[in-house]
Amino acid sequence: MSENRNPSLQPNFTGRQSPWLYLAAEKPRLTNVTGTLKRILEYLLGWRSSLLFALVCAVVSTGITIVGTRLNGYTVDTFIARKDARMLGIVCLLMAGMYVVGVASSYVQSILTIRAAQRTSAALRRDLFRRVAHLPPAYFDAHSSGDVMSRLTNDVDNINTAISQTTVQLFTGIVSVAGMLAAMLFLSPPLTLVCLITTPLTFFTTRIIARNVQRFFVEQQRELGKLNGYIEEMVSGQKILRLFSRETRVVEDFERINRRYVGDAFRAQAVSGIIGPCNNMVNNIAYLLVAVAGGFCVIRNIGGVTVGVVFSFLLYMRNFTNPINNILAMANSLQLALASAERVFETMDGQPECDADGASDIERIEGDIRFENVRFSYVPGKPVLRGADIVAEPGQTVAIVGPTGAGKTTIISLLTRFYDTDGGRIRIDGMPIEAITRRSLRRSVSLVLQDTFLFSDTIRENIRYGRIDAGDEEVVEAAQQAHAHEFILQLPHGYDTVLTDNGQNLSQGQRQLLNIARSLLSRASVLILDEATSSVDTRTEQIIQSALLTLMKGKTSFVIAHRLSTIKNADKIVVIDGGRVVEQGTHESLLEKKGFYFRLYESQFKTGMPNGVPGG
């Protein structure tokens, strides 16, 4: 089967990506039921050959039911009335054979539709994951990881469950309702009219309830996303919450969020649960009316209606109303699936990172980087950078210091194009940064953060993540340069030791050395260090410092709030305050100016922070 491609899922690449653009997605709503259903149907039709064969099976099964039902009535009027046991036996054997064929057809239809539903949910999950993999950091700033995981798992599973159940019911129902209606009209138009009187009441009742229950299911899925996000956060931070003895408070917060979710889920299920009893009541009224009308016709000998006709008609009527009731009874799962589908498509419609028209790949950045009057704000009207000018020449080490919130990390986010500027320009080797594809730009930039991230894989593959085509010898060489080789060999399986839970079986310093080895392997020409040694002890810091010096050789390096030894040796120190570059120069020249940097130095270095940095 060819890959299912849905052109309606392609978003418009307009507007700068901001976390506030995605926060609107948290409002509970079901705004476009028709559009959501259409998009699900487009996925489902990717398996149209299976669905078509399933439809043929449904026609066969329904045809057998129609013929068998009419034979029941004919047998009552003819063979039972005449007490013809021989013919009665022949008809029973014939009907038994027909029903075996009908059961086989229904089974094949069920298998085909369930397979189509499973493949549809797999395609949904695949496309959703692909979109999540290409969404900008702004999306994840606005959504917790638990909420994103909930969309990939719970929401897609809800859609899968609804499709698996309703597709079978829908195929059987449409064919059965049409076939039984035709059979009832052929058998007795007056009784068919009596039956149809109550049908609009069923749809009217269901529509009113379903319209009101939609918002409850949307709220239920929203609260489920919050619950998953809270659980993920508490499991990740379980050491911190124990350290500060917050277990009781965390349990109380969880119970509060859980109660909100249970309340929304109860309201959704309780309201949708009214549909089934209401439909049963309407159907019972319809059966009663047909029985009374049929009995009257038999007694008065009107229209050739016999006991067998009434018997067959009631069976037809049951097969006519049951598919409708089955579909309507699943309104709760349908509403839940619609709410889930809207959350899934909402994420799919998120604006992915995209390159400008004409952007080109670059093999390697030489390292000439210039910020020219760069302006940026995460929230409109609240600027973070107010015309920053920074120049880094190839091979230079530029330290960026300043107080918390001054805009230091934002500069790095702009340099890696996690965000785009509001104004001004960033040039790399003379080219506007927008003229370079993100992929090739990031391939030339290596980032070493305070918080390392290691995958649940072997140490070898974690290092190889820096350059996926690197050989084992290159991996070992990078580890040696990063001073990680010795401790790796001391592990039970050396380079084949499997890390779990972000490498929690290693120390913070060891994780950082692996991160540095990964960066060394990448051979990037631009290096960014963001608080790379701030959370390790002095001895480990010295080891990491040595590895960083190896890593920085020949590279244009940006160092944010690093330790004093690196700041002092930087070719240039850029001081940021309030989103503006207030000073630039070497450590000695800035101290001589006795300006902002000097005051930071005096306040933070001479007050018991000998190895800190100005501005932290």
Side-chain angles (χ1 to χ4, degrees), residues 579-598:
R580 291 188 174 88
V581 177
V582 295
E583 289 179 336
Q584 296 190 55
T586 63
H587 174 71
E588 291 77 11
S589 65
L590 291 176
L591 288 180
E592 290 175 2
K593 289 182 179 179
K594 296 188 180 297
F596 193 86
Y597 180 82
F598 178 81

Side-chain angles (χ1 to χ4, degrees), residues 468-489:
I468 204 66
D469 60 347
D472 289 348
E473 297 81 6
E474 293 176 291
V475 170
V476 173
E477 182 182 355
Q480 290 172 337
Q481 292 176 344
H483 304 287
H485 181 68
E486 291 185 2
F487 88 78
I488 293 175
L489 293 181

Side-chain angles (χ1 to χ4, degrees), residues 501-537:
D501 193 20
N502 192 21
Q504 291 301 314
N505 45 340
L506 301 177
S507 69
Q508 176 66 31
Q510 290 172 330
R511 294 199 297 270
Q512 191 65 285
L513 290 176
L514 292 181
N515 194 22
I516 293 171
R518 179 193 295 168
S519 297
L520 280 164
L521 190 65
S522 71
R523 298 178 179 173
S525 54
V526 177
L527 174 64
I528 298 170
L529 304 177
D530 191 352
E531 302 266 15
T533 63
S534 62
S535 58
V536 297
D537 60 86

Side-chain angles (χ1 to χ4, degrees), residues 28 129 143 149 230 241 245 251 287 301 346 348 369 374 394 403 479 512 531 536 539 543 547 552-553 579 595:
F129 189 82
H143 295 79
M149 290 171 59
Y230 189 77
L241 70 90
S245 303
V251 171
Y287 291 142
N301 196 22
E346 177 184 82
M348 284 189 182
I369 299 173
V374 171
Q512 191 65 285
E531 302 266 15
V536 297
R539 181 177 180 279
I543 298 174
M552 294 167 67
K553 286 180 180 178

Side-chain angles (χ1 to χ4, degrees), residues 371 388-392 396 398-399 571-576 581-587 589-590 593 597:
F371 283 67
D389 291 289
I390 302 172
V391 176
Q396 274 193 336
V398 177
D571 298 300
K572 180 187 296 184
I573 298 175
V574 178
V575 185
I576 304 288
V581 177
V582 295
E583 289 179 336
Q584 296 190 55
T586 63
H587 174 71
S589 65
L590 291 176
K593 289 182 179 179
Y597 180 82

Side-chain angles (χ1 to χ4, degrees), residues 48-324:
R48 56 176 59 86
S49 57
S50 296
L51 295 176
L52 182 61
F53 192 56
L55 182 61
V56 172
C57 292
V59 171
V60 171
S61 178
T62 301
I64 290 174
T65 302
I66 292 174
V67 174
T69 301
R70 186 64 193 101
L71 278 177
N72 276 316
Y74 184 79
T75 300
V76 170
D77 284 338
T78 305
F79 305 124
I80 293 179
R82 296 175 184 176
K83 299 182 180 180
D84 190 342
R86 177 175 173 276
M87 287 303 299
L88 180 61
I90 293 174
V91 171
C92 287
L93 289 174
L94 176 62
M95 292 175 64
M98 291 170 55
Y99 288 143
V100 169
V101 175
V103 168
S105 297
S106 296
Y107 177 74
V108 172
Q109 174 209 347
S110 178
I111 292 298
L112 290 172
T113 51
I114 289 175
R115 185 172 65 177
Q118 291 291 342
R119 290 178 174 178
T120 297
S121 63
L124 270 170
R125 189 179 291 109
R126 175 201 65 205
D127 288 350
L128 178 59
F129 189 82
R130 286 178 177 175
R131 180 48 49 89
V132 168
H134 291 89
L135 286 173
Y139 183 87
F140 301 97
D141 289 344
H143 295 79
S144 69
S145 56
D147 181 64
V148 176
M149 290 171 59
S150 182
R151 296 177 192 234
L152 278 162
T153 54
N154 295 327
D155 286 325
V156 175
D157 284 343
N158 290 336
I159 298 171
N160 174 52
T161 299
I163 292 177
S164 299
Q165 294 176 352
T166 59
T167 303
V168 176
Q169 298 291 347
L170 188 63
F171 269 68
T172 305
I174 291 175
V175 176
S176 181
V177 168
M180 297 305 163
L181 180 60
M184 288 190 298
L185 284 169
F186 178 79
L187 193 62
S188 176
L191 292 181
T192 302
L193 180 62
V194 174
C195 172
L196 293 179
I197 289 174
T198 58
T199 301
L201 181 60
T202 302
F203 285 101
F204 182 73
T205 303
T206 302
R207 183 178 179 183
I208 292 176
I209 298 174
R211 187 167 54 192
N212 286 278
V213 80
Q214 286 174 353
R215 63 186 181 90
F216 292 127
F217 278 109
V218 176
E219 291 171 358
Q220 173 186 330
Q221 290 309 104
R222 180 197 61 178
E223 292 300 328
L224 180 59
K226 290 182 178 179
L227 184 65
N228 287 335
Y230 189 77
I231 292 173
E232 192 271 340
E233 186 178 79
M234 291 305 103
V235 171
S236 300
Q238 47 96 14
K239 290 183 179 178
I240 299 299
L241 70 90
R242 283 182 170 81
L243 179 64
F244 291 98
S245 303
R246 302 285 286 182
E247 294 92 340
T248 302
R249 177 63 181 273
V250 165
V251 171
E252 291 173 353
D253 290 342
F254 173 82
E255 289 177 351
R256 183 171 62 254
I257 299 172
N258 193 35
R259 280 196 300 269
R260 287 203 301 266
Y261 167 68
V262 171
D264 287 334
F266 174 78
R267 283 191 292 272
Q269 299 290 339
V271 175
S272 65
I274 301 174
I275 294 176
C278 288
N279 289 335
N280 287 334
M281 182 184 68
V282 173
N283 291 334
N284 289 334
I285 293 174
Y287 291 142
L288 177 61
L289 291 176
V290 169
V292 171
F296 181 79
C297 290
V298 171
I299 293 172
R300 297 291 185 176
N301 196 22
I302 299 174
V305 177
T306 64
V307 173
V309 169
V310 175
F311 179 69
S312 295
F313 194 92
L314 287 173
L315 291 178
Y316 281 140
M317 187 175 173
R318 183 191 65 184
N319 291 320
F320 174 76
T321 57
N322 277 352
I324 298 176

